[in-house]
Amino acid sequence: MKSLDLTENKVEKLFGTWVVDFPSICTSLVSLNLENIQGEIDSIALQDLVGRCTNLKSLKLNNSISLLQMQVLIQRAPQLVELGTGSFAQDITSQDLLRLQSCIGNCRNLTSLSGFWEVRPGSLPIIYPACKNLTSLNLSYTPVDDTDLAELVSQCHNLQRLWVSSGISWMSWIWCIFL
C-alpha cells in the first residue's frame, strides 16, 4: 500500500474541522503536520485517524492540543519518531503529569521533539524520559529560562540539533555546548 505524506501539502481550509473528512479507510499516513492549523482540531477525529495509521512516524500538533489530548494521541502512536507537541500551559494534576511522562517514555523511537507552543514553569521534565534518544530538539517557540534549558539539554545525550528562541542568554549557549 502506498504511504501518504501530508508534510508539504497545502490545506486551503486552515481550521481543524477538515480532519473529520479523512475516510475511515485511510490508514497509510506516515506524516501529519498540523502546526499551522488555526484554532481547535476535532480531537476525536484526530485520535481515530492517528490510531488507524500504524505507520505514522511524524505527528506535529498545533497549540490547541492539550497535554491530555497529546497523551491519548501518543498512546495510539508509540511508533512515532518525530513529535511536535501542543501546548504545555494547562493545569493538570500531578497524576496526569506522571502518566504523560510515562507515555512519552514509551515512545522509544522518538528522536525529534518540537512544538512546545506555551510552557508552564516546571513542565519540561515531562519530556525527560524521551531525551536520551533525541537527536533533534526544537525550542524555538518556547520561552524557556536558562536553568530549565541547561537541565533539559543535559538529559539529551545524543543531541545533534538544538533550536532555541532568541531570548536565551549567551552563557546558556556556552554551558549547553560543553555538556
Side-chain angles (χ1 to χ4, degrees), residues 96-120:
D96 286 336
L97 284 173
L98 289 174
R99 278 192 287 264
L100 179 56
Q101 190 175 40
S102 173
C103 187
I104 289 173
N106 288 333
C107 291
R108 290 177 173 55
N109 298 323
L110 207 56
T111 59
S112 178
L113 273 174
S114 62
F116 305 101
W117 298 98
E118 303 167 273
V119 177
R120 286 188 61 170

Side-chain angles (χ1 to χ4, degrees), residues 19 41-53 68-73 76:
V19 173
I41 295 175
D42 185 319
S43 63
I44 301 300
L46 182 58
Q47 289 171 22
D48 290 343
L49 178 61
V50 167
R52 288 193 311 266
C53 297
L68 296 178
Q69 290 169 326
M70 183 181 73
Q71 178 182 339
V72 172
L73 292 168
R76 291 175 180 241

Side-chain angles (χ1 to χ4, degrees), residues 60-133:
K60 294 187 177 183
L61 306 169
N62 74 353
N63 63 352
S64 74
I65 302 296
S66 72
L67 289 171
L68 296 178
Q69 290 169 326
M70 183 181 73
Q71 178 182 339
V72 172
L73 292 168
I74 59 179
Q75 283 173 330
R76 291 175 180 241
Q79 75 280 1
L80 288 175
V81 172
E82 181 177 24
L83 175 64
T85 69
S87 174
F88 268 60
Q90 304 88 36
D91 285 325
I92 62 174
T93 68
S94 58
Q95 287 179 335
D96 286 336
L97 284 173
L98 289 174
R99 278 192 287 264
L100 179 56
Q101 190 175 40
S102 173
C103 187
I104 289 173
N106 288 333
C107 291
R108 290 177 173 55
N109 298 323
L110 207 56
T111 59
S112 178
L113 273 174
S114 62
F116 305 101
W117 298 98
E118 303 167 273
V119 177
R120 286 188 61 170
S123 63
L124 287 177
I126 294 169
I127 64 167
Y128 287 178
C131 288
K132 65 182 176 202
N133 295 325

Side-chain angles (χ1 to χ4, degrees), residues 123-154:
S123 63
L124 287 177
I126 294 169
I127 64 167
Y128 287 178
C131 288
K132 65 182 176 202
N133 295 325
L134 290 185
T135 57
S136 177
L137 179 61
N138 184 341
L139 300 170
S140 60
Y141 300 112
T142 311
V144 59
D145 68 34
D146 295 349
T147 306
D148 288 340
L149 176 65
E151 181 60 32
L152 178 59
V153 171
S154 74

